[in-house]
Amino acid sequence: ALYYDKIINYTIILTDIGAPIVLFPVALSIGIWLIWRERYRAAACWLITIVLAMGLAYLIKMGMAIPRPEGLASVPNLYAYP
């Protein structure tokens, strides 16, 4: 009763939305749109925000060192995010 297949499948889909293969094209398209609209300062802030967020998430993940739960999904990262 702890693991319900439909909930696990939805959880895997939500996890995949946060994958770099999904986030990179979205971030790139927003950055291109900002540059196309000549919002250079906003585009620079967008880039800085993305870089800082990725770096901070990595540092928190490595600093907390929480192991991933086994059996739900095979994610290549070493630790889970808190």
Side-chain angles (χ1 to χ4, degrees):
L2 183 59
Y3 296 111
Y4 185 60
D5 288 336
K6 286 187 178 183
I7 293 176
I8 290 174
N9 290 336
Y10 291 131
T11 304
I12 291 171
I13 291 170
L14 285 174
T15 300
D16 288 342
I17 289 173
I21 197 164
V22 175
L23 293 180
F24 180 73
V26 171
L28 183 65
S29 62
I30 292 172
I32 290 171
W33 181 79
L34 287 170
I35 291 171
W36 178 64
R37 300 280 303 193
E38 297 180 1
R39 308 276 186 180
Y40 302 117
R41 184 175 290 170
C45 290
W46 178 251
L47 178 65
I48 291 169
T49 301
I50 290 172
V51 169
L52 287 176
M54 288 174 58
L56 185 61
Y58 179 78
L59 289 175
I60 291 172
K61 187 183 288 190
M62 292 302 136
M64 303 269 307
I66 299 171
R68 289 196 175 274
E70 295 181 15
L72 294 179
S74 66
V75 182
N77 292 339
L78 184 59
Y79 296 117
Y81 193 76

